[in-house]
Amino acid sequence: MRFGIIGYMRTIRLFNTLTRRVEPVAPLERGVVKIYNCGPTIYSFAHIGNLRTFLFQDLLRRVFAQSGFDVRFCVNLTDVEDKIIRESQEDLPQDADNETRLKAMRDFTDRYEKLFLEDLNELRIQRPTYMPRATDYIPQMIALIEGLEARGLAYERDGSVYFRLSGFPDYGCLARLDRDGMKLGVSVDADEYDRDSLNDFVLWKGTKAGEPWWECKWGKGRPGWHIECSAMSLALFGEYLDIHTGGIDLVFPHHENEIAQSEGLFGHRWVSTWVHGEHLMVEGEKMSKSFGNFFTLRDLREKGVDPIVFRFAIQSNHYRKPYNFTFEGLNAAESALKRIRVFRRRMEDQNAPGGGGEFKELIAPMARIAQARIDFWDALCDDLNTPEALAALFTLITDINAQDDRILMTSEERSAALAFLDETNAIFAAWPHESNSLNQKAEAMIEARKTAKTNKNWAEADRIRDELKAMGIILEDRKDGSVIWHSQ
Ligand code: AMP
Ligand code: ZN
């Protein structure tokens, strides 16, 4: 099927978890698409499963951006929850004051935020437009809970506040819960739980000894996990969202609870399209530290895996199919990537060695490139079908390689092939492959700028910053004196 271009924008169809159908996305504001993505809990390194979800979100963003949309893209950072509190507070004395506790939690999560940003850089995941931290939105969370209380949808018990599920009949519409077959009305404090009963989930948790807290009308406490996303999304995007994403495990209870909170407050539909990425498994098993099959990007690098090969392996698979991570799978991705890079070199330099394909028939290169381009975008616009999109690219490569010595491509034809490779690279970000040398050069320049600053040579420091900017690298000076960078 062919999908046309409306105005300057392509029509993009996505599988909507809410309706269980592939549907065209029609943003509320013409040309602008507002996307909220559940991001990482910053308490340890992201594992490659998490990274798969962040890569799926990056793919979604790039497809919209390359299809003419102004994409407003939010990835939140969860920087307060049980595990973070436990690990950040364990070295503090029992009588530590609240300010010390909050600072310890901030310092702890700052570290993992930085590592998360490094992962994004390594994987060429574009920096989100917004990257809010939950603890910067506590007043908004409290206001939201007060709003729910005023509507009879929240109640306080022993210093904690819960959502009243019996007041929200739509509960379960995303996960398609069988409400009649479930028990009603137990209130739970845990952020995650099973789907055998309908629980009044926690919005605000009254404080326990040894925990950091914020003050509100219900006393000292901290937000539950689910309220964080509802509040940050409301603060940044208002009452309507075009797309909300996350990994498939978040459908229930997290996203179901987000819907209850937001729609309970607004009194109308909040998100038009819910999109969920399938999980990554390792050798067919769920990843787990105790199984010894748990990997971070750092682990892969130590095993000699190029992060861009990992990126390409993930993006070659459909986001709605479970991905079985294996090292053989990475080898296959590396070979495929090599084929594209060799082809690119051939298009740049007509003296480069031939493609080595077997001749079948003479083709008209310009017409073949135009067809590949149509097939590529048709596939991506049809629920981000990356395997089909890549098939369009590889068919073109095979056909052109098979011409070999029969025809010599004109420079116009080679430029058209190169332009198409650049267009596809705006989505896949994996060819050509200058990442390592670019990374090394950028790191060396950042070091040189640090030295210039230490020597109070501000002009030199500014000059290096500008030079990096010209290379497409943006620097950010952090409060702790460190510098992080990302590509434009
Ligand atoms: P977390 O840091 O635990 O809050 O998770 C961040 C994101 O990773 C969420 O969107 C999860 O749904 C997603 N996620 C967790 N495990 C996996 C996995 N094995 N494969 C893909 N995504 C995952
Ligand atoms: Zn969320």
Side-chain angles (χ1 to χ4, degrees):
M1 201 195 289
R2 177 87 26 95
F3 304 106
I5 294 180
I6 301 170
Y8 294 105
M9 288 157 290
R10 292 191 184 91
T11 300
I12 296 166
R13 292 158 37 96
L14 295 173
F15 182 86
N16 186 352
T17 310
L18 199 59
T19 59
R20 306 287 199 273
R21 281 198 306 266
V22 177
E23 297 170 338
V25 175
L28 217 60
E29 191 181 326
R30 194 177 152 76
V32 178
V33 59
K34 296 177 179 174
I35 308 180
Y36 185 96
N37 307 276
C38 287
T41 307
I42 40 176
Y43 75 102
S44 70
F45 289 96
H47 61 58
I48 56 175
N50 304 136
L51 296 175
R52 178 187 191 194
T53 293
F54 306 141
L55 282 165
F56 137 65
Q57 293 163 342
D58 186 60
L59 169 70
L60 178 72
R61 172 193 190 154
R62 286 172 181 264
V63 169
F64 273 94
Q66 296 303 314
S67 296
F69 290 87
D70 172 3
V71 186
R72 315 263 163 90
F73 197 79
C74 172
V75 176
N76 75 285
L77 303 175
T78 296
D79 65 348
V80 50
E81 51 87 77
D82 294 344
K83 289 178 292 254
I84 292 178
I85 292 178
R86 206 180 317 123
E87 295 197 22
S88 67
Q89 309 292 307
E90 64 190 3
D91 294 335
L92 294 181
Q94 270 300 317
D95 59 353
D97 61 20
N98 192 43
E99 212 172 301
T100 309
R101 294 199 176 279
L102 287 171
K103 182 169 182 320
M105 189 161 75
R106 187 78 183 199
D107 291 346
F108 176 81
T109 49
D110 271 353
R111 229 172 21 242
Y112 291 105
E113 178 190 359
K114 209 160 153 227
L115 293 167
F116 169 66
L117 296 178
E118 280 177 22
D119 283 352
L120 297 192
N121 277 345
E122 296 251 358
L123 290 173
R124 296 191 191 158
I125 294 175
Q126 290 174 328
R127 223 13 139 70
T129 330
Y130 312 106
M131 215 168 46
R133 270 170 165 266
T135 54
D136 292 335
Y137 288 80
I138 302 288
Q140 289 88 337
M141 293 174 201
I142 294 170
L144 208 166
I145 301 170
E146 285 174 355
L148 289 173
E149 189 188 40
R151 283 163 181 70
L153 287 171
Y155 61 90
E156 187 261 351
R157 184 183 295 161
D158 301 330
S160 291
V161 184
Y162 300 87
F163 188 92
R164 190 190 311 281
L165 276 200
S166 57
F168 190 74
D170 274 354
Y171 191 82
C173 62
L174 183 70
R176 307 238 164 137
L177 299 179
D178 169 20
R179 285 189 67 135
D180 294 339
M182 298 168 89
K183 289 177 281 177
L184 250 177
V186 199
S187 54
V188 289
D189 288 334
D191 285 326
E192 299 198 61
Y193 42 85
D194 299 331
R195 54 193 294 164
D196 58 352
S197 61
L198 286 174
N199 297 303
D200 281 0
F201 60 88
V202 72
L203 299 164
W204 183 262
K205 301 185 185 196
T207 195
K208 294 198 197 92
E211 290 188 352
W213 48 260
W214 290 267
E215 187 101 56
C216 68
K217 69 180 237 196
W218 300 287
K220 294 170 181 164
R222 62 180 170 102
W225 171 37
H226 313 294
I227 199 73
E228 298 179 2
C229 289
S230 283
M232 288 184 274
S233 168
L234 174 61
L236 292 163
F237 291 126
E239 290 191 10
Y240 294 93
L241 257 185
D242 296 309
I243 300 176
H244 193 316
T245 84
I248 192 81
D249 57 305
L250 298 190
V251 172
F252 182 83
H254 185 52
H255 288 165
E256 204 63 70
N257 291 354
E258 282 189 36
I259 291 175
Q261 295 160 161
S262 298
E263 297 190 3
L265 182 76
F266 308 151
H268 60 72
R269 172 61 52 82
W270 166 45
V271 177
S272 308
T273 309
W274 285 91
V275 192
H276 292 97
E278 260 294 346
H279 268 192
L280 174 145
M281 319 275 285
V282 175
E283 312 273 356
E285 303 271 354
K286 195 175 154 127
M287 218 180 350
S288 137
K289 283 196 172 133
S290 54
F291 292 166
N293 64 357
F294 182 99
F295 298 115
T296 64
L297 195 59
R298 179 169 297 213
D299 297 331
L300 293 193
R301 234 185 299 109
E302 275 167 14
K303 289 178 183 295
V305 176
D306 177 343
I308 298 303
V309 169
F310 173 70
R311 175 186 171 95
F312 187 61
I314 296 290
Q315 301 302 46
S316 305
N317 202 66
H318 197 283
Y319 79 94
R320 272 196 309 117
K321 291 217 172 84
Y323 178 79
N324 189 24
F325 175 89
T326 61
F327 285 93
E328 294 88 78
L330 289 182
N331 292 339
E334 188 158 20
S335 307
L337 211 43
K338 188 163 170 220
R339 205 160 152 237
I340 299 171
R341 291 178 186 154
V342 169
F343 176 74
R344 193 174 200 286
R345 220 167 297 136
R346 274 193 70 209
M347 293 299 104
E348 279 171 337
D349 174 9
Q350 61 174 329
N351 298 319
E358 187 188 330
F359 180 78
K360 291 201 186 76
E361 56 176 350
L362 268 184
I363 58 162
M366 289 306 253
R368 275 299 294 109
I369 294 166
Q371 186 59 49
R373 192 164 176 254
I374 289 169
D375 294 345
F376 181 83
W377 283 110
D378 277 358
L380 288 182
C381 290
D382 184 13
D383 198 25
L384 314 180
N385 194 335
T386 49
E388 287 272 332
L390 285 172
L393 174 59
F394 280 115
T395 305
L396 176 74
I397 293 176
T398 305
D399 287 356
I400 291 182
N401 281 347
Q403 301 298 295
D404 258 358
D405 308 329
R406 316 285 158 140
I407 59 162
L408 212 57
M409 280 174 76
T410 63
S411 66
E412 188 199 2
E413 287 162 348
R414 281 190 286 112
S415 300
L418 284 170
F420 179 54
L421 282 174
D422 286 347
E423 194 174 340
T424 54
N425 199 43
I427 301 295
F428 286 94
W431 53 87
H433 192 49
E434 76 291 306
S435 85
N436 286 341
S437 57
L438 185 73
N439 281 359
Q440 278 166 14
K441 189 164 178 211
E443 301 287 358
M445 287 172 70
I446 290 167
E447 271 311 305
R449 180 169 168 269
K450 237 190 249 168
T451 312
K453 281 173 81 174
T454 314
N455 298 334
K456 302 206 184 322
N457 187 349
W458 310 118
E460 173 65 0
D462 288 347
R463 191 196 63 71
I464 297 175
R465 170 190 281 271
D466 292 345
E467 195 180 326
L468 280 161
K469 189 158 182 235
M471 288 161 60
I473 288 170
I474 304 296
L475 297 186
E476 215 177 280
D477 292 307
R478 315 274 294 190
K479 275 192 230 124
D480 64 2
S482 63
V483 179
I484 53 172
W485 64 271
H486 60 94
S487 36
Q488 242 167 355

